[in-house]
Amino acid sequence: MVLRTSRQAALAANGIISSGAEWPAGGHSAEVSRWPNHKKPEIMQEPSQHLPAPKPQQPLVASLLAAAATVLLLTGAAKIMTVMGGGEVLAQLDPLLQVRNQWLIPVLGIAEILVGAFLLGSRRPLLAGGITIVLGTEFLLYKVFVGLASPGAPCPCLGSIGELFGFSQIEVNNLTTILSVGLVALGVAVVVLDCKGSKHQVLLQSG
């Protein structure tokens, strides 16, 4: 009885039970908590302040993305220069989309410049590589369908820049094909290297 009373007094002094709480006959304290529903508050663990550092971009991946961005910036700039300088190509209809080039070429030029700028500043190689693959594939498919729909029709891919430098239509078509294949190859290389780098980083962390 003395032991029970002293334990009850100690618990009451610590604020765990009220001073008037009674002990049951079984000898176990009927701890009356000061918290609702007689539950003690759980200790909330503060979220970790150390967030994982972003994965550093591989130098080779950055170089490949810079090369793809350069291609898009040059082709976009060629289209904008065509619009500013005029030319017969602007009065023609696109052989596949049947839209007047004076509206289509500047829109495509601005889009290519924006995508090129995104590739230069991107910190997500996998996304940037995927976009590069999609664009290169679209360029190739466009050339294929133009060849099927209008054989021998000029490709307005570079605007009138080809004529400015004295390139024939065949040379322009060959150049744009090489650039399109190059974009696809650069995009695939970026994706493969980024995936390998991610796998290597995971193995290092797990080891």
Side-chain angles (χ1 to χ4, degrees):
M1 181 64 180
V2 176
L3 179 60
R4 184 185 308 171
T5 303
S6 61
R7 184 179 178 188
Q8 183 178 7
L11 293 175
N14 292 329
I16 299 178
I17 66 172
S18 62
S19 58
E22 295 183 356
W23 291 70
H28 299 286
S29 64
E31 297 184 359
V32 181
S33 175
R34 52 183 173 175
W35 304 100
N37 300 326
H38 306 289
K39 293 183 179 179
K40 296 180 181 179
E42 297 180 357
I43 300 176
M44 301 296 294
Q45 295 183 353
E46 296 183 359
S48 175
Q49 301 297 326
H50 302 287
L51 298 177
K55 183 181 63 176
Q57 187 166 293
Q58 303 177 50
L60 181 56
V61 170
S63 300
L64 294 175
L65 286 178
T70 301
V71 171
L72 291 174
L73 291 174
L74 290 177
T75 56
K79 291 180 173 64
I80 298 300
M81 291 175 62
T82 297
V83 175
M84 297 176 62
E88 296 181 0
V89 66
L90 296 177
Q92 300 172 356
L93 293 177
D94 182 85
L96 181 63
L97 302 179
Q98 294 300 306
V99 178
R100 194 169 295 277
N101 286 331
Q102 71 180 63
W103 306 110
L104 182 62
I105 287 180
V107 171
L108 294 179
I110 293 173
E112 290 173 8
I113 290 175
L114 291 177
V115 174
F118 169 78
L119 296 183
L120 284 177
S122 176
R123 293 297 178 267
R124 302 176 63 182
L126 190 61
L127 174 62
I131 292 176
T132 304
I133 294 173
V134 171
L135 283 179
T137 303
E138 287 182 349
F139 293 160
L140 287 174
L141 291 177
Y142 172 83
K143 293 179 65 62
V144 170
F145 285 121
V146 165
L148 294 176
S150 303
C155 176
C157 303
L158 296 180
S160 60
I161 296 299
E163 300 176 3
L164 180 64
F165 287 97
F167 294 154
S168 66
Q169 188 58 47
I170 295 178
E171 291 173 336
V172 171
N173 286 333
N174 292 337
L175 178 60
T176 53
T177 300
I178 293 173
L179 293 178
S180 301
V181 174
L183 284 176
V184 175
L186 289 170
V188 171
V190 168
V191 171
V192 171
L193 290 175
D194 184 67
C195 290
K196 286 186 177 180
S198 300
K199 183 178 180 181
H200 181 66
Q201 188 176 21
V202 170
L203 292 177
L204 289 178
Q205 291 176 353
S206 62

